[in-house]
Amino acid sequence: MNNSRRKFVKNMSLGVAAMSSMKPLKSLSKPFADRIRIGIIGTGLRGQAHLSTLLKRTDVDVSVICDIDPRMLEMSGKLFRDAGKTVPKIVTGDAYAYRKLLDPKVIDALIIATPWELHTPMILDALDGGIKYIATEVVLGVTMEDHFEVVRRTERNNAHVMMLENACYRRDTLAITNMVRQGLFGELIHMQGGYQHDLRGVKFNDGVTPYNSGAEFGEKGFSEAKWRTNHSVNRDGDLYPTHGVGPLAVMLDINRGNRFESLSSFSTKARGLHNYIVKKGGADHPNAKALFRLGDVVTTHIKCANGETILLQHDTNLPRPYSLGFRVQGTGGIWMNLNKGIYIEGQSKYDHERWDDEKPWLEKYDHPLWKRWSKEAYLTGHDGIDFFVMHAFVEAVKRKKPTSMDVYDAASWSAITPLSENSIELGNETVAFPDFTGGKWMSRKNDFARTDAY
């Protein structure tokens, strides 16, 4: 997550080069399928990152890819050729061409890496087509009804829908999860996280190169600037909550003995995107007249059934270094990733006036997943976490087991967006958080990352 987007294309090429010298990832111990067939809808830059990760595995055949952009399909084809593999079947055409690949006789699992507003309809079509394992990029949907319908349809089809939230596999947050489970923080009280990432150079470009290259968006934009920026024009809320809330939800046993109960959100005025357009394109640029609804900083407070609170921040329109702003605080201590500090009462080497350096603690409590798979992980994107989230999905498919993060997690984490929009529109009113599990949260167990398998 902390790689800058401006280095993405360079890192992708380095990753492909590393593939030729990397020992192929072998299967884990039996019993399970030796190989599975995966289809990918959306071969933009994010889809290509997933493709690059999958091409490193010996237990996966990417049997079909789909996109309506010839440039992205050509870039994806190059990844296959550079990996010494045959370019698979390509599905293209109109906006519904993807329906042609939704056949369980052709694929065992599906990955969706398209613009946000397409996730829900594609998931529903895949479920109706008989696909039992579906992994979608974040977020799950746009409206509250999107989230309810995906949950209903997944249950009805006895299928598995997993959101590819890679932040849950960060090395630091998994080590902290390990510490939480061993009781070092005592009883959890308050958590913080968010998406604090200067995306101005992602939301605007010159229509040719993806990052930091101009002031165009919409039809004249390229990659994410073509679609993502319009959400900032039309919506005001926490548009990207899952990177921050996902790891915290794991630690808090959300949907597994605990749940989100209520939410309230606040939004600042909007200045950052307009100022960026003027800076890049001048005051007379046509886009300087665009009005943006999205506040530059959106804060959301969540109350949990077991009494904890979570503070989330969405901050993507102003100049700032990247940070997810994690804070984990309990009756026994506190960790904050912003200052890389930790304090465990009775164990820290300083008194409560000073922070311990987090590094020795994170090394001591390094999660078994990272101890086992770090070499393979660091050859993939986002400092290795792309490996773990895809590994978890693939291994669940091979074993015909539930995914480590399920549709209830996807709905609960992603629904923060429409709920925050609703709260802001109502004058920052506190709104109730629905229980997507239908009461099952009271008896479900938290099995996320309990071993070093996946």
Side-chain angles (χ1 to χ4, degrees):
M1 288 305 307
N2 52 10
N3 285 347
S4 67
R5 287 175 175 263
R6 70 189 66 180
K7 296 180 181 178
F8 177 85
V9 175
K10 178 180 178 182
N11 290 342
M12 279 283 292
S13 62
L14 291 174
V16 171
M19 249 189 278
S20 60
S21 60
M22 176 185 175
K23 186 178 180 180
L25 183 64
K26 295 182 179 179
S27 300
L28 299 174
S29 58
K30 290 278 188 175
F32 56 83
D34 287 323
R35 300 178 73 88
I36 60 171
R37 303 160 300 167
I38 289 183
I40 299 178
I41 304 175
T43 60
L45 298 186
R46 189 64 187 133
Q48 289 171 44
H50 291 315
L51 176 57
S52 177
T53 299
L54 291 171
L55 287 173
K56 294 176 172 65
R57 301 186 68 105
T58 62
D59 52 359
V60 170
D61 290 320
V62 180
S63 54
V64 57
I65 59 175
C66 175
D67 207 298
I68 59 174
D69 188 330
R71 180 179 175 186
M72 295 304 185
L73 288 170
E74 176 54 34
M75 293 170 70
S76 298
K78 186 176 185 301
L79 291 177
F80 281 95
R81 293 188 291 272
D82 289 347
K85 297 188 177 183
T86 302
V87 178
K89 179 181 179 181
I90 294 175
V91 174
T92 189
D94 62 24
Y96 299 100
Y98 69 90
R99 291 175 174 172
K100 299 175 184 176
L101 66 82
L102 302 178
D103 184 353
K105 297 178 181 178
V106 176
I107 59 173
D108 302 301
L110 176 68
I111 293 171
I112 298 171
T114 56
W116 299 337
E117 60 271 17
L118 301 179
H119 293 178
T120 291
M122 289 178 171
I123 292 169
L124 297 179
D125 283 344
L127 290 169
D128 289 345
I131 307 301
K132 294 297 185 182
Y133 284 89
I134 302 164
T136 179
E137 260 302 328
V138 297
V139 291
L140 186 66
V142 174
T143 68
M144 283 302 298
E145 181 54 29
D146 285 345
H147 295 79
F148 281 117
E149 185 56 29
V150 169
V151 170
R152 286 193 293 260
R153 201 83 62 91
T154 302
E155 291 176 332
R156 187 184 311 154
N157 287 274
N158 194 28
H160 305 276
V161 173
M162 172 177 166
M163 191 163 60
L164 293 169
E165 184 41 77
N166 56 8
C168 292
Y169 292 94
R170 281 172 53 130
R171 194 161 197 167
D172 57 352
T173 57
L174 271 181
I176 295 299
T177 299
N178 207 10
M179 295 175 67
V180 167
R181 288 173 172 174
Q182 295 187 43
L184 275 78
F185 291 94
E187 183 179 359
L188 295 180
I189 301 294
H190 177 69
M191 318 286 266
Q192 291 182 197
Y195 192 57
Q196 301 174 115
H197 190 181
D198 183 355
L199 293 184
R200 296 172 301 165
V202 175
K203 294 182 180 183
F204 304 99
N205 55 41
D206 61 3
V208 179
T209 53
Y211 307 126
N212 307 301
S213 57
E216 301 294 350
F217 75 96
E219 288 302 314
K220 293 184 177 181
F222 172 63
S223 190
E224 289 178 74
K226 184 178 288 292
W227 61 268
R228 186 170 186 163
T229 318
N230 283 321
H231 288 271
S232 300
V233 173
N234 297 304
R235 308 172 69 190
D236 190 12
D238 188 335
L239 300 188
Y240 209 62
T242 68
H243 286 342
V245 81
L248 304 180
V250 169
M251 297 177 203
L252 288 168
D253 298 324
I254 296 301
N255 294 327
R256 296 163 179 84
N258 198 3
R259 76 174 189 91
F260 302 141
E261 274 195 339
S262 62
L263 170 157
S264 61
S265 296
F266 289 77
S267 177
T268 70
K269 55 191 174 184
R271 297 291 185 270
L273 298 185
H274 170 79
N275 291 346
Y276 185 82
I277 293 170
V278 172
K279 177 182 176 181
K280 282 288 187 177
D284 295 329
H285 192 285
N287 287 339
K289 298 178 182 179
L291 298 177
F292 297 95
R293 289 191 64 193
L294 178 63
D296 289 340
V297 178
V298 176
T299 52
T300 297
H301 222 150
I302 299 173
K303 180 67 179 298
C304 300
N306 290 346
E308 309 91 348
T309 56
I310 304 172
L311 179 64
L312 299 178
Q313 298 181 74
H314 181 268
D315 174 2
T316 62
N317 297 345
L318 298 170
R320 61 158 301 128
Y322 175 89
S323 173
L324 295 189
F326 285 120
R327 170 174 165 177
V328 175
Q329 189 168 13
T331 57
I334 181 172
W335 169 68
M336 294 180 65
N337 84 302
L338 193 59
N339 68 341
K340 300 185 183 302
I342 193 167
Y343 176 76
I344 303 298
E345 189 173 49
Q347 297 189 46
S348 287
K349 59 183 176 181
Y350 304 116
D351 61 24
H352 65 276
E353 299 297 332
R354 296 182 62 183
W355 293 89
D356 278 6
D357 180 359
E358 68 173 8
K359 186 177 178 180
W361 289 92
L362 298 183
E363 290 176 347
K364 180 179 180 180
Y365 291 95
D366 196 19
H367 193 278
L369 277 170
W370 274 95
K371 290 180 179 180
R372 179 174 181 180
W373 300 103
S374 59
K375 182 178 179 180
E376 292 85 354
Y378 281 130
L379 288 173
T380 65
H382 289 118
D383 284 344
I385 57 180
D386 281 356
F387 164 84
F388 286 107
V389 73
M390 191 57 65
H391 181 64
F393 180 64
V394 168
E395 294 299 333
V397 178
K398 286 163 57 179
R399 288 165 167 73
K400 298 189 185 310
K401 297 287 187 180
T403 52
S404 57
M405 299 176 287
D406 62 20
V407 71
Y408 302 124
D409 301 316
S412 299
W413 304 351
S414 175
I416 291 169
T417 297
L419 288 170
S420 68
E421 292 178 274
N422 188 29
S423 174
I424 290 169
E425 188 173 358
L426 293 172
N428 319 117
E429 192 172 298
T430 298
V431 296
F433 212 109
D435 171 19
F436 291 102
T437 75
K440 292 190 286 290
W441 66 273
M442 289 182 281
S443 58
R444 282 160 39 99
K445 303 299 182 184
N446 188 348
D447 293 325
F448 179 85
R450 289 288 181 179
T451 70
D452 66 356
Y454 63 96

